[in-house]
Amino acid sequence: HLLLFLLFVGPFNCFASYSRATELFYSLNEGLPAGVLIGSLARDLRLPTAGSQHPASLQPPLSFTLASHGLGGQYVQLDNCSGELHTSAVEIDREALCVESSGATIFGGSAAVSSSSSSPESCLLLLDVLVLPQEYFRLVKVKIAIRDVNDNAPRFPVPHIRLSVPENAPVNTRLAIEHPALDPDMGTNGVQTYRLRDNYGVFTLDVEENENGERTPYLIVMGALDRETQDEYVTVIVAEDGGTPPLVGSATLTIGISDINDNCPQFNDSQLNVTLYGNSSLGTHVATVHAVDMDLGSNAQITYSYSQKVPEPSRDLFHLNESTGVITLSTKVDGDTPRLHRLIILGNGPGCIPAVITVLVTIIKVMMRPPEVVPRFIANEVEGVVYLKELEPVNTPIAFFTIKDPDEKYKVSCYLDGDGPFRLSPYKPYNNEYLLETTKPLDFETQQLYEISVVAWNSEGFHVKKVVKVQVLDDNDNSPVFSEQLIELSIEENNVPNAFLTKLHATDADSGERGQVSYFLGPDAPSYFALDKTTGVLTVSTQLDREEKEKYRYTVKAVDSGFPPRESIATVTITVLDKNDNSPRFINKDFSFFVPENFPGFGEIGVISVTDADAGQNGWVALSVLNGSDIFVIDTGKGVLRAKVSLDREQQSSYVLWIEAVDGGDPALSSTAKITILLLDINDNPPLVLFPQSNMSYLLVLPSTLPGSPITEVYAVDKDTGMNAVIAYSIIGRRGPRPESFRIDPKTGNITLEESLMQNDYGLYRLLVKVSDHGYPEPLHSTVMVNLFVNDTVSNESYIESLLRKEPDISVEEKQPQISIEPTHKKMESASCMPTLVALSIISLGSIALVTGMGIYICLRKGKKHHRADENLEVQIPLNGRINLHMLEKKPMEISNI
């Protein structure tokens, strides 16, 4: 009764004791491997286990299961028996689980992930665990806090950050860096500080943290900036977290200094002295002023102008370009022109006080006039430039030059100054006339422009120079030139359509259209090749097949655009490279070979011919026997098929083989052929007598048997075929009271009674039957003894058996059976040969000699049989002893058999 009471009350006491524990809290680091213990639910809930003090019989086994498998369940493994929680093979990544969700919890049935809003660094994994059986049933809320580890380095969202700072920015100016570094880690493991690797002594960084805990770096200007001194600073900004050890990330920071208008134009000199001859022509360059502004863009724009202090005559005499600062002579100097001019020029910049420079121009009065050079051009001339075609003949006139002194007081001479194929010579009979002409043909491709000068000077040493420019005009005198006269190409067969072959290149030394080259295929090029006229790209529009054609050779032309056009020719050779695209091909799909049986081993049965249209390794073919390789072998190189052993037709009359041909390509291609080997029969098997089965067997023949009645038969078979298996039966030996009473059918082997049996014909008859085939060249045979006992009954079997055991004395009649002739049962004598020969000669005169010979041979053979003492015959079934022919009661009967 006490035991029953405990069994009934015990569970309720346990339930009451453990009902307090409904929530458990654990914590662990992220990134732990599988199998790390998180906690034991049974221990922490203080549930009884198998090792507690409660009797085992009172403790049903505990079972712990997840309420359902949700998001959080994949990260833990719960032991259903012990209640131990371990990490699973799925690694916990706090940053992936708990993105900043502002307190949102993602539930997954019994498991969820929570990021508490009260503590932004907390990340909870929520599990619902059921405890069974009923006595300990609990729904336990398990919270697992995932602790952050410093496993992420700070990272800037862009690799290059650019800031712009005005050059007049005051010290302590703060500029926010708009792309701060990001770190998925939380708390101190996040970004803590920023620094510059090189601050150039004028920059530093500061970090501001807002109410959300975000840290933003600020660039602070610590010194004066001047764009004109340095317009850009390039450094590296480094972000560092607070982990141990700390992790860092970096990006390139470029600080550009923007310009302000803090500089004004400045001249390098304050005064410029210039001397000008009074005979200078209009437009003569006098001087150039140049001011510099260190600013950029519109801040550096400078204009030039005369000061108000410059008198009007000087302004009219000298022109000032307000953009370039170039001063030129604008009116002709005469006797009334002042000899000294002070030009005050201002350099004006935006918002600046003008810079000032003074140009002193001194005009030197010229008392004598220089020599004059007057050209008269023969060749085409435009604005002082003479145009000559190349390849003009030697001594082509260019121009006449008249050299004179305007005052007619001084002697004037001249010469040609400059390089080139030109000559200046006096033109007689005139004085002071000179002809400028060529001395060699001009070549545009060598030099296009010449600049020469005709220099005249008088006896006072005054020089005058007249510059002449000669522009050589191009002519179409050069043909295009291919970079290679023989263009050797190769391409694999089975190419894609419009495959690229090469790009032809030809150059033409001529200029303009005359040097533009177009490309064309020669007339011998196949139609499926294409050549781009402009680019020279050579393509093939179709697939090439090496087996169809391996090499192509044709011409291409390069034609220029001159008139008339010039061209050159190159030769293109294309070699089509082989691919393994052809399987080996047998001459026939089916081969048949006829082989006599007993053919010697490794003899040549036949040759299997196979070809492969591919070349090289791809066309190499190896042969092998797929079936019957234990009997047959094939010579890979020659294709000779051989049998390893001698073949017996009686065991197997034919063989069917499959031969595989595999080429040497990669991947290899193959094909198969069927080989049929038929064995021709040879006469290698003698007839096998199946009945009678023994020479000792006998058969009772009743005396009342009628003539012509079948008595028994001899049955034999031959394993050969054809004529080798055609069997003939004949009686070659007899023994008995009247042995000629029985005959045998040469075709069927049936033995029949020929004559009626008399009283004195009773007794044992022994017939030696020869069974022979018609094999060629030598027929084979077997023999069997047929025993016939003529009597009314068999009263004494032992007596008959004793007679059978005695050696028979039988006269052997050796005569070949003739199946084509019906058997003759008449007794033939030696004297009957002549009438037969006469009858045969009457029938066919042409066969007299043959028939006579056969008749004489038969007669002689029959005569000899009467005088034989004895004759031994080798038979397959031997007799028991030597046969005594003198013991025969009657003379042997001659039988004509087939």
Side-chain angles (χ1 to χ4, degrees):
H1 293 84
L2 180 59
L3 179 60
L4 292 174
F5 177 78
L6 291 174
L7 290 173
F8 181 78
V9 177
F12 293 96
N13 291 337
C14 295
F15 184 86
S17 301
Y18 306 131
S19 62
R20 297 186 303 275
T22 59
E23 184 173 299
L24 293 176
F25 183 82
Y26 301 102
S27 65
L28 76 159
N29 291 340
E30 63 173 326
L32 293 177
V36 175
L37 178 64
I38 301 173
S40 174
L41 273 65
R43 182 188 65 227
D44 298 334
L45 292 174
R46 298 181 182 179
L47 295 176
T49 59
S52 65
Q53 295 179 357
H54 296 279
S57 61
L58 301 179
Q59 297 182 26
L62 295 177
S63 174
F64 300 86
T65 57
L66 292 173
S68 65
H69 294 277
L71 177 62
Q74 63 179 322
Y75 299 104
V76 298
Q77 287 184 341
L78 176 62
D79 191 310
N80 293 358
C81 298
S82 66
E84 290 186 348
L85 270 176
H86 294 82
T87 56
S88 70
V90 181
E91 183 179 296
I92 298 176
D93 185 1
R94 183 185 183 281
E95 289 73 36
L97 286 174
C98 300
V99 294
E100 295 185 17
S101 55
S102 300
T105 303
I106 305 172
F107 290 97
S110 67
V113 177
S114 174
S115 177
S116 174
S117 60
S118 60
S119 177
E121 296 185 4
S122 64
C123 177
L124 297 179
L125 196 64
L126 306 181
L127 304 173
D128 291 341
V129 180
L130 296 177
V131 182
L132 296 174
Q134 186 65 31
E135 292 84 346
Y136 305 103
F137 174 75
R138 295 287 188 278
L139 176 60
V140 182
K141 298 287 187 178
V142 179
K143 296 181 179 180
I144 303 173
I146 310 302
R147 293 191 295 268
D148 183 45
V149 298
N150 191 27
D151 57 346
N152 292 281
R155 184 177 61 85
F156 286 91
V158 293
H160 192 280
I161 303 172
R162 187 173 184 86
L163 284 178
S164 180
V165 182
E167 62 177 327
N168 63 344
V171 176
N172 293 327
T173 299
R174 299 170 65 87
L175 299 170
I177 297 176
E178 297 181 356
H179 300 285
L182 304 176
D183 194 328
D185 296 325
M186 301 297 294
T188 57
N189 292 331
V191 179
Q192 299 297 315
T193 61
Y194 291 87
R195 69 176 184 273
L196 295 176
R197 287 187 182 172
D198 186 0
N199 57 18
Y200 296 96
V202 293
F203 300 105
T204 188
L205 288 179
D206 189 19
V207 179
E208 291 185 3
E209 184 174 355
N210 61 15
E211 58 184 7
N212 294 328
E214 298 175 348
R215 296 174 180 265
T216 303
Y218 282 81
L219 181 70
I220 301 176
V221 179
M222 300 300 294
L225 302 175
D226 185 6
R227 189 206 63 79
E228 288 73 30
T229 303
Q230 186 168 350
D231 61 352
E232 186 177 74
Y233 297 87
V234 180
T235 184
V236 175
I237 181 172
V238 179
E240 183 175 310
D241 62 21
T244 304
L247 302 177
V248 298
S250 63
T252 301
L253 177 62
T254 300
I255 305 168
I257 310 302
S258 59
D259 183 54
I260 63 171
N261 191 23
D262 58 346
N263 292 278
C264 289
Q266 292 182 355
F267 288 105
N268 293 331
D269 300 312
S270 60
Q271 183 171 308
L272 187 62
N273 298 320
V274 179
T275 299
L276 181 67
Y277 288 100
N279 61 347
S280 298
S281 60
L282 297 179
T284 299
H285 177 268
V286 177
T288 301
V289 295
H290 180 67
V292 177
D293 192 325
M294 300 298 294
D295 293 326
L296 290 177
S298 61
N299 294 332
Q301 283 186 348
I302 301 174
T303 60
Y304 302 94
S305 63
Y306 284 124
S307 171
Q308 297 295 329
K309 298 179 180 180
V310 178
E312 192 67 28
S314 297
R315 291 171 180 262
D316 295 337
L317 184 60
F318 301 103
H319 174 263
L320 174 62
N321 188 308
E322 64 176 9
S323 299
T324 63
V326 175
I327 303 172
T328 57
L329 183 65
S330 59
T331 59
K332 194 169 183 62
V333 178
D334 55 22
D336 298 330
T337 303
R339 296 295 177 256
L340 181 64
H341 297 267
R342 182 183 298 273
L343 306 177
I344 300 174
I345 299 174
L346 305 178
N348 306 294
C352 292
I353 299 174
V356 180
I357 187 173
T358 300
V359 179
L360 292 177
V361 181
T362 303
I363 299 177
I364 300 175
K365 185 177 181 181
V366 178
M367 299 305 295
M368 70 174 181
R369 290 184 293 177
E372 291 182 358
V373 178
V374 180
R376 298 192 304 277
F377 291 100
I378 303 172
N380 183 27
E381 179 267 338
V382 178
E383 295 182 357
V385 180
V386 177
Y387 295 91
L388 290 178
K389 289 184 178 182
E390 64 174 332
L391 303 181
E392 287 281 1
V394 179
N395 301 325
T396 296
I398 299 174
F400 279 112
F401 288 89
T402 302
I403 310 300
K404 63 182 180 178
D405 180 16
D407 297 326
E408 298 182 354
K409 295 181 179 179
Y410 305 100
K411 181 180 179 181
V412 180
S413 301
C414 73
Y415 65 91
L416 187 64
D417 185 24
D419 296 329
F422 305 102
R423 176 176 58 211
L424 182 67
S425 58
Y427 190 73
K428 296 179 179 180
Y430 303 103
N431 294 326
N432 298 331
E433 294 289 342
Y434 294 86
L435 176 64
L436 179 64
E437 59 186 353
T438 61
T439 58
K440 292 181 181 179
L442 303 178
D443 187 2
F444 174 85
E445 289 71 36
T446 303
Q447 188 170 345
Q448 293 86 37
L449 180 66
Y450 296 90
E451 186 171 322
I452 56 179
S453 300
V454 176
V455 181
W457 83 97
N458 59 19
S459 56
E460 296 296 321
F462 198 89
H463 290 73
V464 174
K465 181 184 295 185
K466 181 64 177 179
V467 177
V468 178
K469 293 182 180 180
V470 178
Q471 176 68 54
V472 182
L473 300 178
D474 187 30
D475 198 1
N476 193 29
D477 59 337
N478 291 279
S479 300
V481 177
F482 280 100
S483 56
E484 295 177 301
Q485 286 300 313
L486 178 61
I487 304 165
E488 296 179 326
L489 306 174
S490 63
I491 184 174
E492 281 193 342
E493 63 176 330
N494 304 330
N495 54 282
V496 296
N498 300 317
F500 173 83
L501 292 174
T502 189
K503 184 176 181 180
L504 303 180
H505 181 66
T507 57
D508 194 315
D510 295 324
S511 63
E513 292 184 354
R514 290 172 292 274
Q516 293 180 358
V517 180
S518 300
Y519 302 91
F520 302 94
L521 290 173
D524 54 345
S527 60
Y528 40 83
F529 288 96
L531 180 59
D532 189 279
K533 174 182 178 181
T534 304
T535 63
V537 173
L538 181 63
T539 57
V540 56
S541 61
T542 187
Q543 281 191 348
L544 299 180
D545 186 359
R546 188 204 65 83
E547 289 73 36
E548 181 178 338
K549 189 172 184 179
E550 184 175 4
K551 288 188 178 294
Y552 296 86
R553 184 183 181 94
Y554 53 86
T555 58
V556 290
K557 295 190 298 182
V559 183
D560 63 22
S561 301
F563 183 81
R566 300 174 70 98
E567 67 180 37
S568 62
I569 297 176
T571 301
V572 175
T573 62
I574 301 175
T575 302
V576 183
L577 303 179
D578 185 52
K579 289 182 70 175
N580 193 27
D581 58 343
N582 289 278
S583 301
R585 183 176 180 181
F586 289 93
I587 300 300
N588 299 310
K589 294 303 292 183
D590 294 325
F591 291 84
S592 296
F593 297 107
F594 295 88
V595 181
E597 64 173 329
N598 302 330
F599 194 69
F602 291 97
E604 181 178 324
I605 294 176
V607 177
I608 288 90
S609 298
V610 62
T611 59
D612 194 313
D614 293 322
Q617 185 75 12
N618 296 330
W620 182 85
V621 180
L623 298 174
S624 61
V625 181
L626 295 180
N627 62 325
S629 59
D630 54 339
I631 300 177
F632 297 95
V633 66
I634 192 167
D635 188 334
T636 297
K638 299 180 179 179
V640 177
L641 181 64
R642 306 175 190 273
K644 299 179 182 178
V645 297
S646 180
L647 304 178
D648 188 357
R649 190 204 64 81
E650 285 70 39
Q651 293 183 1
Q652 187 170 343
S653 61
S654 64
Y655 296 87
V656 176
L657 304 179
W658 289 96
I659 303 297
E660 182 182 38
V662 181
D663 62 23
D666 185 18
L669 300 178
S670 63
S671 61
T672 57
K674 181 181 177 182
I675 310 297
T676 303
I677 301 174
L678 301 173
L679 296 184
L680 301 176
D681 184 52
I682 63 173
N683 194 27
D684 58 345
N685 292 280
L688 176 63
V689 179
L690 301 180
F691 185 83
Q693 297 180 355
S694 172
N695 289 338
M696 300 300 291
S697 62
Y698 65 95
L699 180 67
L700 177 64
V701 180
L702 298 177
S704 60
T705 303
L706 297 176
S709 299
I711 305 301
T712 185
E713 70 171 343
V714 176
Y715 179 68
V717 295
D718 196 312
K719 294 181 180 179
D720 296 322
T721 59
M723 294 301 296
N724 295 332
V726 175
I727 298 175
Y729 302 89
S730 63
I731 299 175
I732 62 172
R734 302 169 183 267
R735 174 75 174 173
R738 191 154 57 97
E740 66 274 9
S741 300
F742 300 94
R743 69 175 293 272
I744 189 169
D745 190 303
K747 294 182 179 180
T748 63
N750 292 330
I751 298 177
T752 57
L753 180 63
E754 284 291 289
E755 300 176 355
S756 299
L757 297 174
M758 303 300 178
Q759 185 67 31
N760 56 353
D761 292 334
Y762 285 33
L764 180 63
Y765 291 81
R766 308 196 74 176
L767 305 178
L768 182 60
V769 177
K770 179 180 180 180
V771 183
S772 177
D773 60 25
H774 282 66
Y776 179 83
E778 184 68 28
L780 302 178
H781 68 274
S782 301
T783 59
V784 66
M785 188 69 75
V786 179
N787 301 305
L788 303 175
F789 184 61
V790 180
N791 203 2
D792 292 326
T793 60
V794 179
S795 58
N796 191 348
E797 292 185 4
S798 59
Y799 171 71
I800 298 174
E801 292 174 357
S802 64
L803 293 177
L804 294 175
R805 284 193 292 270
K806 292 181 179 180
E807 180 179 349
D809 188 4
I810 299 176
S811 175
V812 178
E813 306 168 3
E814 185 61 47
K815 185 176 182 181
Q816 294 295 334
Q818 301 295 326
I819 296 178
S820 59
I821 304 175
E822 291 298 328
T824 303
H825 306 293
K826 294 183 179 181
K827 193 174 182 181
M828 301 179 66
E829 300 293 340
S830 300
S832 63
C833 293
M834 291 305 296
T836 303
L837 294 175
V838 173
L840 291 175
S841 62
I842 295 174
I843 296 172
S844 178
L845 295 176
S847 302
I848 292 176
L850 177 61
V851 175
T852 304
M854 291 178 62
I856 294 172
Y857 172 76
I858 293 173
C859 293
L860 292 177
R861 187 174 180 86
K862 295 304 179 179
K864 289 180 180 180
K865 289 181 180 180
H866 296 285
H867 304 287
R868 286 179 182 170
D870 55 1
E871 184 176 354
N872 292 327
L873 177 64
E874 182 181 354
V875 293
Q876 184 167 339
I877 304 176
L879 300 176
N880 291 335
R882 181 176 177 272
I883 301 175
N884 188 358
L885 298 179
H886 296 285
M887 296 179 63
L888 296 176
E889 295 180 356
K890 294 185 178 181
K891 189 166 54 174
M893 195 175 200
E894 195 170 88
I895 301 175
S896 175
N897 293 315
I898 297 177

